[in-house]
Amino acid sequence: MTEILVVGELINSTRKAVKAALEAKDASVIRRLAREQVEAGADIIDVNTATSMEHEVDDMKWVIGLIHDEVGNVRLSIDSPSAEAMASGLELCQGRPLINSINNDPRGRAFIDIVKRFDGDIIGLPMGGKVGVPRTVEERLDEVDIMLSTLDDAGVDPSRLYIDSIVMTIGSNQEQGRIVIESVREIKKRYGSRGVKTSVGLSNISFGLPRRSLINQAFLAMLLEAGLDMALIDPRDVGMISTMRAAEAIVGTDAGCLRYIKHVRKLAG
Amino acid sequence: MTEILVVGELINSTRKAVKAALEAKDASVIRRLAREQVEAGADIIDVNTATSMEHEVDDMKWVIGLIHDEVGNVRLSIDSPSAEAMASGLELCQGRPLINSINNDPRGRAFIDIVKRFDGDIIGLPMGGKVGVPRTVEERLDEVDIMLSTLDDAGVDPSRLYIDSIVMTIGSNQEQGRIVIESVREIKKRYGSRGVKTSVGLSNISFGLPRRSLINQAFLAMLLEAGLDMALIDPRDVGMISTMRAAEAIVGTDAGCLRYIKHVRKLAG
């Protein structure tokens, strides 16, 4: 067992401040978000410029350049619904990239070509094959089977794959919490021997609820116990990082609780 | 699925302030701890006067009288290694008591007589039959089998039983976190159909580590997902109650997240 990977989610063009920075070409906002996330402990920085529409590719390149200039060769997550933007982003990555994301929709074949062309880890959304958005654990697992079969055919190593179990808010459907936890547990059990890992975009769980960080933290602890390998979060949320370090100490992935103790010292200092 | 029961652990003679209050017959300390725990949301108040030695029975009676006088007919947990003190406490309980605790040690036969004589829920420690303190999940489950067999022979309904999976600190043996979580999950799976429930004395997990509440909160979230029914905690620890309410919203035992939302309003107010 290894420590969970933290993907910093903040450089995302659906966030108002980032969208404005992209429009105004305000490098300082991007540089600050990159630095803050790395300093807060992010292992990978997500880059999403999708709302820039026809400027997505240019914005992607500009942001990647800024991040590498600001914090060196940190790992990047290239997050785009456009295969063109994805490829142009991946070309500029200095560390091993994270391809965010592929799914089973037949219209997304270009992404299979991308994961063949570029090495790096892959976030896979278990959807778009037999069903659109999966409702149950079983539908998610069926979609994982489809994805693994596609990747096998393409000669892509399944150990590059992090399955994102698609978190939806418990505010509208309360079964979603248990479904995602059970999906993570089952994916590790069924596909762990092939090296398949798990990821979540965690904060969706609390959308529409008050004091979201309380829900997010409890959910993170549960997911980590279920075997989560990677989480897209705001790494500046000290409560989230504290929960992660505590959870790792409990499940034993932080041998001797050393990382936890170091974190607590940093909190105090 | 129902909401988790909170047992307030503070009126315990191993705590310095309580020991001093018992020695000085300082009713105000006991009254305040009773009121604070009930106001913080405790469903049951634990009473332990065991360190008073030859005065244990008198102190037990005195404390129970004070608590009922202060907060009415709250449920009490009678917590003693002495069958005599246990019985004298149970006689004075106004609400349905919690008998804390029985185990499989043949020297503890008097406690089986007590659970036959007094109605109420029972905390059962899975130890003392084949092994002393169990090290593994399997040893815990073996001890549960022994306990259920004893209770069956005595004609005691197993649905009164809350198995405490015996939490030990991860500071000295890091496997203990996963072992307790897995034990709770397995006990619910194997014995849930007979009505057997689960409990923990949670805070032992973090003994010897800094910022214990961080560990305790993450552990509580994991245990609640595994199916925990009852926790002995300090209910005045707002972080613990927040974690509990958030976890209940996630796993769906708090339908519509209503209890969570009410808790958050109370935090804000």
Side-chain angles (χ1 to χ4, degrees), chain A residues 140-211:
Chain A
R140 283 167 171 80
L141 295 171
D142 286 347
E143 292 286 328
V144 176
D145 284 333
I146 294 170
M147 187 171 286
L148 284 173
S149 160
T150 304
L151 293 181
D152 282 346
D153 290 347
V156 175
D157 182 350
S159 75
R160 292 169 56 190
L161 189 61
Y162 288 77
I163 297 291
D164 178 323
S165 289
I166 309 182
V167 174
M168 285 176 285
T169 175
I170 53 169
S172 59
N173 180 349
Q174 209 167 0
E175 290 177 7
Q176 288 299 321
R178 276 204 183 276
I179 286 171
V180 169
I181 294 163
E182 200 48 41
S183 295
V184 167
R185 206 184 302 282
E186 276 300 307
I187 289 165
K188 295 291 286 187
K189 197 188 287 177
R190 291 201 198 179
Y191 311 106
S193 62
R194 297 195 65 198
V196 174
K197 299 177 196 70
T198 54
S199 176
V200 291
L202 192 140
S203 58
N204 288 349
I205 193 73
S206 58
F207 186 80
L209 289 170
R211 284 289 294 267

Side-chain angles (χ1 to χ4, degrees), chain B residues 56-57 80-87 111 114:
Chain B
E56 182 182 4
V57 171
S80 175
S82 147
E84 186 201 352
M86 180 74 81
F111 286 91
I114 283 177

